[in-house]
């Protein structure tokens, strides 16, 4: 028993999506968060545009990073 060293799979943040995330959408709400505060939504390839568009239209999206490069 114990920790096998493998990380838990990451799942897309889109409601009802069970796909593995390929993207990290880094964002913050400037009305609520300090400029250095960052929150992260995860997105699969299919939902990346939808989720990033939702954040971008509100001025929340800071960057969209492939999961392989994300250091969170």
């Amino acid at each position: 028993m114990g920790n096998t060293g493998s990380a838990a799979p990451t799942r897309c943040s889109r409601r009802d999506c069970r796909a593995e995330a390929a993207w990290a959408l880094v964002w913050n709400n400037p009305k609520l968060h300090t400029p250095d505060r960052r929150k992260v939504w995860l997105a699969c390839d299919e939902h990346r545009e939808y989720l990033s568009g939702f954040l971008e239209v509100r001025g929340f999206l800071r960057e969209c990073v492939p999961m392989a490069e994300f250091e969170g």
Side-chain angles (χ1 to χ4, degrees), residues 2-9:
N3 188 350
T4 62
S6 61

Side-chain angles (χ1 to χ4, degrees), residues 6-26:
S6 61
T10 53
R11 301 285 177 221
C12 179
S13 297
R14 174 81 163 124
R15 177 188 242 174
D16 297 326
C17 183
R18 301 290 181 242
E20 187 168 340
W23 300 90
L25 309 176
V26 182

Side-chain angles (χ1 to χ4, degrees), residues 3 8 11 14-15 23 25 27-28 37 40-42 44-47 49 51 54 60 63-64 66 69:
N3 188 350
R11 301 285 177 221
R14 174 81 163 124
R15 177 188 242 174
W23 300 90
L25 309 176
W27 65 279
N28 81 343
R37 172 81 189 271
V40 178
W41 281 359
L42 302 178
C44 64
D45 286 330
E46 181 181 350
H47 294 118
E49 275 190 51
L51 293 171
F54 180 91
F60 296 173
E63 62 182 321
C64 184
E69 298 173 19

